[in-house]
Amino acid sequence: MGLPGSGGELGPQIRVNGSWAEGMEGTVAEVREGARQGAAEIHSRDGSGGGNEGPEFRHIQEFTNQTWQARSGQPLPGHLVLLVWSLIVSLYPLGGLLGALLAGPLAVMLGRKQSLLANNVFVVVAAILFAFSRRAGSFEMVMLGRLLVGVNAGVSMNIQPMYLGESAPKELRGAVAMTSAIFTALGIVMGQVVGLRELLGGPQAWPLLLASCLVPGLLQLASLPLLPESPRYLLIDRGDTEACLAALQRLRGTSDLALELAELEEERAACQGLQPRRPWELFRDGTLRRQVMSLVVLGSAMELCGNDSVYAYASSVFLEAGVPQEKIQYAIIGTGCCELLMASVSCVVIERVGRRMLLMGGYCLMTFWGSIFTVALCLQNSFPWMPYLAMSCIFAFILSFGIGPAGVTGILATELFDQTARPAAYMVCGALMWTMLFLVGLGFPFLMEGLSHFLYVPFLGVCVCGAIYTGFFLPETKGKTFLEISEELRKLNLPRRSQGPRWRGPDVIQSTEL
């Protein structure tokens, strides 16, 4: 995930790369929609530590200034250029927040598959706006495109893991759902590569770079109609047993489906007569107390753990370590490759070691490497090898984030909530994530200025809290059906009721004494 527009000594810049793909991945003999949308994700990438601005950022600034001067005959004042840039940056998370709130109703009314198809309307319109913004001489088109791309990202990041988790068998549910993290990381790497100055990062090509989000959107529009709807949605929400059976046969092949269909029928009976929950109802339901708390705590921890800020701080660390200014963009690609590598490893091992172990291990490793990184920053002027240690810590920190929090956190809303509460849970999770992303982008420059080399200390505290909460309060869901998970959580939320009826009669004498 990129950090939209960090400032401070790094100098805010446009990295029009982010997560490039509404990609595809092959699972259970089908091709699935992958990762987060956002070919035009903007964040700090190429700061030099001295306030130098990256070329892509200057391209957008120059375009804004030239457009204004062509309209009014006067150049746009510097503070207004900064204001326009701030709006361009902030409209992406704002759109993501709107998309997250839209995802729940869409998932209920249209279904998971149809919602993903309809969601591509936003990215197609955004790509058209980006592509013709320069020719039309309108920076407002860039701003509107950013908002629409954010809406597309907010919808897809909520409904896509829901679709995967509901369609996968319980033995592979974690691995299948983790593929969204893999394709998110793959999108970051592809965006970093495409955004190189030698490719689409030049002064004339930036509209095409922004509009490249159209490519994965078209791929999804061409392939997703070939895939079935979520079997759980068809049976539990729609009550269509035949369509559910047909979807299962397409997903599982010719294997015996009697046991899985019986499991779905049990889940359907448990949800019989219940209406889809609304987000605020989740907070008032005592039977969902543990689930909501886990969603809020771990969702916040993922956004506040400092990974996005590591990306923003990486350029200055690489420069301090002696990486030439013109080569930093290649070193940045290595950070995205680290997250992609560990997300792939996590996908392979998640069904063996479980969710809790990956989350705890990831946060503990992030705490360790973040502490070393803080020490290295404080002593970078005392020892000549300290900048190299700090650079190594950046890669290690991102590797630790990729092995656990990056992918496992997105599975929680699927596994901890039942069919009626799941869309609302994703609305809460998505709204929380985009709000935190905005706050981190807003507050990180002030942390840099106020805490200097100790700016990662608050993030380390968040990592410690994430590890502690996971170890003591998050139940393991590996290999369990949704009904088994719901029953276990019901006992945790209502321990007295789960012990059976209490004796209301006279006291029973347990022993006598002569």
Side-chain angles (χ1 to χ4, degrees):
M1 294 181 195
L3 180 65
S6 299
E9 63 185 40
L10 297 177
Q13 299 172 27
I14 181 169
R15 179 194 68 145
V16 202
N17 47 21
S19 299
W20 183 80
E22 283 278 353
M24 305 297 160
E25 55 94 10
T27 305
V28 290
E30 295 287 347
V31 181
R32 289 287 167 79
E33 184 234 356
R36 190 182 68 187
Q37 172 60 47
E41 183 176 339
I42 298 176
H43 78 274
S44 298
R45 179 188 69 172
D46 198 22
S48 66
N52 294 336
E53 294 171 345
E56 296 92 345
F57 175 58
R58 289 196 297 270
H59 302 332
I60 300 294
Q61 273 195 331
E62 291 170 1
F63 169 67
T64 303
N65 199 27
Q66 291 170 3
T67 301
W68 186 267
Q69 190 167 5
R71 294 177 184 176
S72 63
Q74 296 179 351
L76 190 65
H79 68 282
L80 292 182
V81 174
L82 183 60
L83 175 62
V84 172
W85 171 251
S86 300
L87 287 174
I88 292 175
V89 169
S90 60
L91 281 173
Y92 180 76
L94 176 61
L97 176 60
L98 296 177
L101 298 177
L102 184 62
L106 280 179
V108 174
M109 293 186 295
L110 300 181
R112 285 42 166 167
K113 173 184 169 181
Q114 296 301 326
S115 297
L116 291 172
L117 285 173
N119 185 41
N120 285 289
V121 173
F122 297 112
V123 78
V124 170
V125 175
I128 294 173
L129 291 172
F130 289 143
F132 293 99
S133 60
R134 186 184 185 92
R135 181 172 298 182
S138 173
F139 58 83
E140 294 88 351
M141 294 174 66
V142 176
M143 297 169 65
L144 181 57
R146 286 278 296 169
L147 179 67
L148 293 178
V149 165
V151 173
N152 176 270
V155 172
S156 62
M157 289 183 67
N158 281 8
I159 298 182
Q160 183 264 341
M162 193 189 315
Y163 177 45
L164 290 176
E166 291 180 358
S167 301
K170 65 179 181 179
E171 297 83 6
L172 298 174
R173 187 174 60 233
V176 171
M178 276 293 296
T179 55
S180 62
I182 294 177
F183 280 87
T184 297
L186 178 62
I188 291 174
V189 174
M190 294 181 69
Q192 289 170 337
V193 172
V194 175
L196 292 174
R197 298 181 183 92
E198 295 83 356
L199 297 178
L200 295 180
Q204 302 299 322
W206 64 264
L208 296 178
L209 183 57
L210 287 169
S212 64
C213 58
L214 180 64
V215 176
L218 293 178
L219 288 174
Q220 187 183 93
L221 285 172
S223 59
L224 194 57
L226 305 176
L227 310 181
E229 178 58 270
S230 161
R232 277 182 168 79
Y233 174 78
L234 292 172
L235 182 65
I236 301 175
D237 292 75
R238 290 276 190 86
D240 193 339
T241 305
E242 294 182 1
C244 172
L245 183 58
L248 282 175
Q249 288 174 341
R250 291 182 63 186
L251 289 169
R252 310 289 189 262
T254 57
S255 59
D256 185 14
L257 303 174
L259 291 178
E260 189 167 2
L261 197 58
E263 173 196 328
L264 290 178
E265 288 289 355
E266 290 181 10
E267 192 174 344
R268 178 188 183 183
C271 298
Q272 193 73 32
L274 299 178
Q275 297 296 322
R277 303 290 187 94
R278 295 177 175 85
W280 54 87
E281 294 177 349
L282 303 183
F283 294 91
R284 297 188 304 205
D285 191 341
T287 62
L288 299 176
R289 187 181 304 112
R290 182 71 64 97
Q291 295 94 308
V292 173
M293 186 182 300
S294 299
L295 198 67
V296 171
V297 172
L298 296 178
S300 301
M302 186 185 73
E303 292 302 329
L304 300 178
C305 66
N307 185 69
D308 296 328
S309 304
V310 164
Y311 276 108
Y313 206 76
S315 297
S316 61
V317 174
F318 293 155
L319 193 69
E320 190 72 25
V323 179
Q325 177 73 44
E326 64 276 6
K327 302 295 183 183
I328 287 180
Q329 59 176 346
Y330 304 106
I332 292 294
I333 296 176
T335 60
C337 291
C338 287
E339 188 169 337
L340 174 60
L341 172 64
M342 296 315 295
S344 303
V345 172
S346 181
C347 180
V348 174
V349 303
I350 188 171
E351 294 299 348
R352 299 180 182 179
V353 302
R355 285 68 160 155
R356 295 175 70 251
M357 185 61 67
L358 288 179
L359 274 177
M360 283 191 296
Y363 280 123
C364 289
L365 288 173
M366 290 168 71
T367 303
F368 174 77
W369 290 115
S371 302
I372 301 297
F373 182 58
T374 300
V375 173
L377 289 180
C378 295
L379 300 178
Q380 62 182 349
N381 295 325
S382 302
F383 301 95
W385 48 270
M386 275 296 171
Y388 299 100
L389 178 61
M391 185 170 64
S392 301
C393 288
I394 285 180
F395 287 105
F397 192 91
I398 294 174
L399 287 169
S400 305
F401 177 77
I403 192 65
V408 178
T409 308
I411 306 175
L412 296 179
T414 298
E415 295 192 326
L416 297 182
F417 293 86
D418 61 24
Q419 191 74 12
T420 60
R422 193 170 296 128
Y426 268 105
M427 290 175 66
V428 172
C429 182
L432 182 69
M433 187 198 77
W434 289 103
T435 302
M436 293 295 178
L437 185 64
F438 175 78
L439 293 178
V440 169
L442 188 66
F444 184 68
F446 298 99
L447 285 177
M448 292 180 63
E449 183 178 352
L451 298 180
S452 184
H453 297 319
F454 297 96
L455 81 163
Y456 275 95
V457 172
F459 299 128
L460 298 181
V462 172
C463 292
V464 171
C465 292
I468 293 175
Y469 183 88
T470 302
F472 286 98
F473 300 104
L474 184 68
E476 181 57 71
T477 57
K478 179 186 70 173
K480 299 177 182 178
T481 66
F482 286 123
L483 279 179
E484 291 172 344
I485 297 171
S486 297
E487 180 61 24
E488 180 179 350
L489 287 167
R490 188 187 69 83
K491 293 178 180 179
L492 291 174
N493 288 322
L494 304 172
R496 294 183 179 180
R497 295 185 186 181
S498 62
Q499 296 173 359
R502 299 181 62 184
W503 174 251
R504 300 296 184 183
D507 294 338
V508 177
I509 299 176
Q510 300 292 338
S511 62
T512 58
E513 182 178 354
L514 293 175

